[in-house]
Amino acid sequence: MKYTISSVIAFAAAALAKPILTNTEYPVEEGQPFTITWANAEGPVTLTLKNGPSKNLQDVTVIASDLTGTEFTWTPEDLPSDTYAIEIRDSTDEPNYSIPFVYEGTGTAPSVTSSAEASSTAESSTITSVASSTEESSSTITSAASSAESSSLSKILSATSTTSTSTTRTAPVTTPTNQNEGQRFSSPLALLMVTVAAVFFFN
């Protein structure tokens, strides 16, 4: 039981360490002064108007900053109709929030169509960029393939040239037959026969 009481006291002390907005109601109207009050702040205070889901509030505008004291009078203008909340933040950078309140204004809300068009343009640009990158990659691959084909063709031509040279170098050399060799042997034989015939004729 003592542990439970000490835990509650610690939680209460932590809660009191944050600045708190002390307004109990927020009848905020456009063009009408509204006094925002707070307590437990340390150092200068910044008040920020927010909207959106309670667990994901987004900044709309800074109402005032570097505030001292415990109150500030705010006159809202040119705000679109919406449900808002006020954030208070002091020098400890620990935020706290008001209860949400409904506001009826004359301002224009940001165009959803413009945001959608901007998103569509960004997506289109991304797709174009990807397509361009794909085309460049395809061109690079084609160029590499052409280079590889040229290299292969050069190797084939080189191999063919080497084979042709090798064939030329190893071909046997055929020496033509000397057809005058028969004549060279027949001439002395004829001379011998003429000599023998002369001997018999003169004897």
Side-chain angles (χ1 to χ4, degrees):
M1 188 69 179
K2 290 182 180 180
Y3 177 79
T4 304
I5 292 174
S6 62
S7 298
V8 172
I9 293 173
F11 178 78
L16 291 174
K18 292 183 178 183
I20 58 172
L21 293 164
T22 56
N23 298 81
T24 56
E25 296 181 352
Y26 288 82
V28 182
E29 297 181 9
E30 184 163 358
Q32 299 299 317
F34 176 76
T35 300
I36 305 169
T37 59
W38 62 87
N40 299 334
E42 294 184 14
V45 165
T46 298
L47 300 174
T48 305
L49 185 67
K50 292 179 169 279
N51 67 354
S54 59
K55 294 183 179 181
N56 188 27
L57 291 172
Q58 303 297 316
D59 291 353
V60 176
T61 185
V62 174
I63 297 172
S65 59
D66 295 326
L67 299 174
T68 58
T70 58
E71 65 178 40
F72 175 76
T73 300
W74 169 48
T75 303
E77 293 179 350
D78 299 327
L79 292 173
S81 298
D82 204 344
T83 298
Y84 295 98
I86 297 174
E87 177 193 80
I88 182 170
R89 191 184 293 265
D90 64 4
S91 60
T92 65
D93 206 32
E94 288 290 338
N96 215 335
Y97 302 91
S98 71
I99 59 174
F101 58 91
V102 177
Y103 176 84
E104 297 292 335
T106 58
T108 303
S111 175
V112 176
T113 302
S114 297
S115 300
E117 290 177 352
S119 176
S120 177
T121 301
E123 290 178 358
S124 176
S125 176
T126 302
I127 293 171
T128 301
S129 177
V130 170
S132 177
S133 177
T134 303
E135 289 178 358
E136 290 178 0
S137 298
S138 177
S139 176
T140 302
I141 293 171
T142 302
S143 176
S146 297
S147 177
E149 289 178 359
S150 298
S151 177
S152 298
L153 181 59
S154 297
K155 290 180 179 179
I156 292 171
L157 292 176
S158 177
T160 304
S161 176
T162 302
T163 304
S164 176
T165 302
S166 176
T167 303
T168 302
R169 289 179 179 177
T170 58
V173 177
T174 304
T175 304
T177 304
N178 189 353
Q179 296 180 356
N180 294 325
E181 189 174 357
Q183 296 177 359
R184 185 180 63 185
F185 285 102
S186 61
S187 295
L189 181 60
L191 180 62
L192 179 60
M193 292 179 66
V194 169
T195 302
V196 172
V199 170
F200 279 105
F201 179 77
F202 287 107
N203 288 332

